[in-house]
Amino acid sequence: MRDFGGRVSAAFDHLPIRTRLALASALLTFAILCGFALVVGSLTVHRIRSDFNNEVAASADDLASLLQIRIEHGTLVVTPNIDAYAAPEHAAIRVILSSSGSIIEHTPHAPELDSSSGTIAGLERGENVAGYRVESRAKGPLSVGGYVVIQYARPLSDVQPTIARVELLLILGTLAGTGLALLAGATIARRAMQPIATLTATAAEIARTQDPSATIPQPEADDEVAELARTLQGMLQSLDDAHAETEAMLARQRRFVADASHELRTPLTSVLANLELLAESLHGDQGEAARSALRSSRRMRRLVADLLLLARS
């Protein structure tokens, strides 16, 4: 795991700065949105379930207040009609005689809702039983005698689509926010790096032309990039000054060589003429010495000529 993290970090470090800035912005936004989605999602789901439970309890209270049981022609008659009452909410209703536990009335396909709330001692306390939210209420004493327990239940699946939609919206919102953060980070990074790109292009042009007198464009903002531009401009100014000083020194050297060559040329010409005369007129050792001095003077003349050529070039 540590090696994998190291490889990921190395790969991240090799990415361009613009890409790293955009990815860092997107990852930070994703982490914040995930935390926000978890908190808001938990609170929203809890509120949805709480409202659902309150609706079930209110419906159970309403049914308990409306329920009437009487005997007509030797038959127990329950009003209102519990099938019609349960239909709009997909509810399941059972009316149980508390003394014997027998079911007096129930909706079709009502599930088994036996729980601690099925007794009078467990009333007024909602429970989740067999995929239903169950609320039990007592009714009595009745005109026919005794008490009944009314079990009103709604399937928990009724609230699941709402919870699923909330979770889907939170997930989509997190992904959309992360995508927008990535785009915004890329845009901001590109604009932030534009002055650096301008400085890079200018430096490349200076390297191509070898002209230290060029001017570095200065960013409008007084930030780190502007400080870098000022530093580069100062460096170029120092290089330009050094280049100008070198050129001035070379010019002085050329002038000195030219002046010295001119100063030496005239006396050398006179010396060469005299030595040529001496070499022709003298004989023996004196003539050999004159010819040797003549050869040295001629080499000196060539050296002076080379110095003059160097000064001119």
Side-chain angles (χ1 to χ4, degrees):
M1 181 63 70
R2 182 177 300 175
D3 293 340
F4 176 75
R7 288 195 296 269
V8 171
S9 177
F12 185 80
D13 291 339
H14 282 83
L15 293 175
I17 295 179
R18 295 179 181 178
T19 305
R20 279 186 281 170
L21 289 175
L23 287 177
S25 174
L27 290 175
L28 179 60
T29 303
F30 178 74
I32 294 174
L33 290 178
C34 282
F36 177 80
L38 287 175
V39 174
V40 172
S42 298
L43 294 176
T44 304
V45 169
H46 180 269
R47 181 58 183 270
I48 291 173
R49 287 176 175 164
S50 178
D51 290 345
F52 176 76
N53 294 340
N54 292 336
E55 289 177 5
V56 175
S59 297
D61 292 335
D62 182 63
L63 178 60
S65 65
L66 296 176
L67 188 69
Q68 297 292 329
I69 301 177
R70 61 185 183 277
I71 299 176
E72 291 184 0
H73 308 294
T75 304
L76 286 176
V77 177
V78 178
T79 57
N81 186 293
I82 60 174
D83 292 340
Y85 189 89
E89 302 294 342
H90 311 101
I93 300 174
R94 298 199 310 174
V95 181
I96 304 171
L97 188 63
S98 62
S99 58
S100 62
S102 59
I103 299 176
I104 299 175
E105 189 72 32
H106 66 87
T107 56
H109 311 296
E112 292 294 332
L113 301 175
D114 293 336
S115 65
S116 60
S117 62
T119 64
I120 294 179
L123 298 181
E124 306 297 331
R125 181 167 60 87
E127 292 182 338
N128 296 333
V129 180
Y132 283 80
R133 178 67 182 182
V134 183
E135 292 283 347
S136 299
R137 300 291 184 268
K139 181 75 174 183
L142 304 174
S143 59
V144 296
Y147 289 82
V148 293
V149 174
I150 305 165
Q151 289 185 329
Y152 181 89
R154 282 183 60 186
L156 296 175
S157 59
D158 285 356
V159 78
Q160 286 305 122
T162 303
I163 294 176
R165 284 194 296 270
V166 170
E167 292 174 346
L168 178 61
L169 288 175
L170 289 174
I171 292 174
L172 292 178
T174 299
L175 295 178
T178 303
L180 291 175
L182 181 61
L183 293 176
T187 303
I188 294 173
R190 183 170 59 254
R191 294 194 62 181
M193 295 300 296
Q194 186 59 42
I196 300 294
T198 303
L199 292 178
T200 302
T202 304
E205 181 65 18
I206 292 173
R208 186 184 66 82
T209 60
Q210 298 183 355
D211 180 15
S213 63
T215 302
I216 297 293
Q218 299 294 320
E220 296 180 1
D222 188 12
D223 53 9
E224 291 80 1
V225 179
E227 181 65 25
L228 174 61
R230 288 192 292 269
T231 302
L232 290 176
Q233 186 63 57
M235 180 187 68
L236 286 177
Q237 185 64 44
S238 298
L239 290 175
D240 190 35
D241 293 342
H243 182 265
E245 184 178 351
T246 301
E247 287 293 331
M249 182 182 65
L250 291 175
R252 289 194 298 270
Q253 289 178 349
R254 285 193 294 269
R255 285 195 300 271
F256 171 76
V257 171
D259 293 342
S261 299
H262 282 294
E263 292 295 330
L264 290 173
R265 191 172 185 178
T266 300
L268 272 176
T269 302
S270 177
V271 169
L272 282 171
N274 293 328
L275 288 174
E276 287 175 353
L277 291 174
L278 289 175
E280 292 177 357
S281 61
L282 295 177
H283 300 281
D285 293 338
Q286 293 180 346
E288 185 63 29
R291 286 189 291 273
S292 177
L294 179 61
R295 289 193 296 271
S296 298
S297 298
R298 287 173 178 171
R299 286 197 296 271
M300 180 65 71
R301 184 174 63 179
R302 287 195 297 270
L303 177 61
V304 171
D306 292 338
L307 288 175
L308 281 172
L309 179 62
L310 177 63
R312 288 167 184 163
S313 63

